[in-house]
Amino acid sequence: MFFFLGTGTGAWESALTNTLSPGDRIVSFLIGQFSLLWIDQQQRLNFNVDVVESDWGQGANLDVLASKIAEDKEHTIKAICIVHNETATGVTNNLATVRKILDHYQHPALFLVDGVSSICALDFRMDEWGIDVALTGSQKALSLPTGMGIICASPKALEATKTAKSVRVFFDWNDYLKFYKMGTYWPYTPSIQLLYGLRAALDLIFEEGLDNVIARHGRLAKATRLAVEAWGLKNCTQKEEWFSDTVTAVVVPPYIDSSEIVKRAWKRYNLSLGLGLNKVAGKVFRIGHLGNLNEVRLLCYMFLH
């Protein structure tokens, strides 16, 4: 496991550059703003990105993935990159199905997952689903301030660093591994306050129990979706199978600018809602229901609406 000063964007770069070489073919799913940004990073790092695009509000098209994997007899695809939970649209992807596809065709591609808004809130099984690199950030389900990117790498991913030719310095796993062997834990100046905060956050999670944390997120998410329905509004996520338990994107009527709802919530109620991003700008607002949140606080949000 590696801890970087930075955000999930830095963790993205570290995951890619430590396991892949420029020109490597990767399959990546474009389903919203954050998957779009990760794809942009992949392209700027000179990978050969095979983009599978879905309408915003839909999950990753895994049928297309299955076709690409079945056709790739020469194993030219080196990695599958997927955002587990797309916060721009409130969509959660099925990681278990990705693993089943890779195993069915005995394909050796690395499985890289953005778990920024899912890890420690949604069901996430790194070993069972054969995930090679899982990454998250401090500011989501861990409930810390922004500033720490966290990566967990499988033995297969660590082996890939030996042949990966991408340029890397600050995010190089080998620097961390070298210091681990020396008995220390950080090759650069660490953020002590975030480490203390992480210790406290993990204590809270362990006290509640991770299964209970996941179940709590499920309850709060269902309550949020029921409230949206009671308001006469629609969920941006187009199918129940993709509903996110950490964020709900709410579609507003066409005569309303959703950014005005966000501004009013902040100015009048000191309530922070998420703006619609890119293709859904002005069309949706987002309710986050993850991290250190309970039923009472969520009810307060609902009444304010």
Side-chain angles (χ1 to χ4, degrees):
M1 185 171 285
F2 307 100
F3 300 88
F4 298 99
L5 292 178
T7 61
T9 305
W12 279 346
E13 184 169 331
S14 184
L16 296 166
T17 57
N18 279 279
T19 59
L20 299 165
S21 300
D24 279 352
R25 181 187 176 195
I26 58 180
V27 176
S28 199
F29 300 90
L30 201 172
I31 61 171
Q33 178 65 8
F34 294 96
S35 53
L36 173 67
L37 292 174
W38 198 15
I39 287 169
D40 176 63
Q41 185 187 80
Q42 293 158 15
Q43 293 169 334
R44 291 163 70 178
L45 289 168
N46 296 316
F47 300 118
N48 176 14
V49 188
D50 191 343
V51 179
V52 179
E53 186 169 1
S54 300
D55 290 339
W56 289 30
Q58 295 182 359
N61 192 328
L62 300 184
D63 290 335
V64 171
L65 174 65
S67 297
K68 290 181 180 295
I69 293 296
E71 295 167 358
D72 187 31
K73 306 297 184 184
E74 301 300 320
H75 296 164
T76 63
I77 298 172
K78 301 303 180 184
I80 309 299
C81 297
I82 189 167
V83 174
H84 186 197
N85 188 81
E86 174 56 71
T87 48
T89 55
V91 165
T92 299
N93 286 305
N94 191 323
L95 302 183
T97 300
V98 176
R99 172 44 58 194
K100 288 178 182 177
I101 291 169
L102 292 172
D103 288 351
H104 178 77
Y105 293 102
Q106 298 182 330
H107 199 288
L110 291 165
F111 188 10
L112 278 55
V113 177
D114 171 338
V116 169
S117 59
S118 66
I119 291 175
C120 288
L122 306 182
D123 189 20
F124 194 95
R125 309 182 189 189
M126 183 160 179
D127 292 337
E128 183 177 330
W129 296 339
I131 296 169
D132 293 300
V133 182
L135 63 94
T136 191
S138 54
Q139 78 279 14
K140 297 295 184 181
L142 289 170
S143 303
L144 298 177
T146 303
M148 183 185 293
I150 303 170
I151 283 182
C152 190
S154 72
K156 181 179 174 182
L158 293 175
E159 187 66 23
T161 64
K162 298 177 182 178
T163 55
K165 295 181 175 59
S166 295
V167 175
R168 53 195 187 269
V169 180
F170 183 75
F171 295 120
D172 194 337
W173 297 351
N174 290 315
D175 290 342
Y176 282 78
L177 293 171
K178 180 171 65 176
F179 274 75
Y180 291 168
K181 291 178 181 178
M182 292 169 57
T184 56
Y185 297 97
W186 216 300
Y188 313 112
T189 305
S191 176
I192 297 298
Q193 68 272 25
L194 281 174
L195 289 175
Y196 277 118
L198 179 62
R199 177 67 272 169
L202 291 175
D203 286 342
L204 291 173
I205 290 171
F206 295 150
E207 180 180 354
E208 185 175 357
L210 185 57
D211 288 343
N212 294 328
V213 170
I214 293 169
R216 170 169 55 80
H217 280 85
R219 290 195 305 274
L220 300 183
K222 185 174 182 180
T224 303
R225 291 192 290 267
L226 288 172
V228 170
E229 184 179 335
W231 300 333
L233 300 176
K234 292 184 178 180
N235 196 320
C236 180
T237 310
Q238 295 179 18
K239 289 184 180 180
E240 186 175 349
E241 66 187 88
W242 295 320
F243 282 167
S244 168
D245 282 350
T246 60
V247 60
T248 298
V250 184
V251 179
V252 300
Y255 55 85
I256 294 176
D257 182 348
S258 64
S259 63
E260 293 302 317
I261 296 175
V262 175
K263 290 177 184 177
R264 176 167 293 195
W266 177 251
K267 291 181 178 179
R268 187 167 182 178
Y269 301 110
N270 196 30
L271 173 64
S272 179
L273 298 173
L275 290 164
L277 302 172
N278 201 312
K279 287 187 178 182
V280 293
K283 300 177 181 178
V284 309
F285 65 89
R286 296 175 294 138
I287 303 171
H289 35 79
L290 79 165
N292 186 19
L293 181 69
N294 58 31
E295 287 79 359
V296 173
R297 289 176 62 191
L298 185 66
L299 281 172
C300 290
Y301 294 163
M302 296 302 105
F303 281 126
L304 286 176
H305 284 85

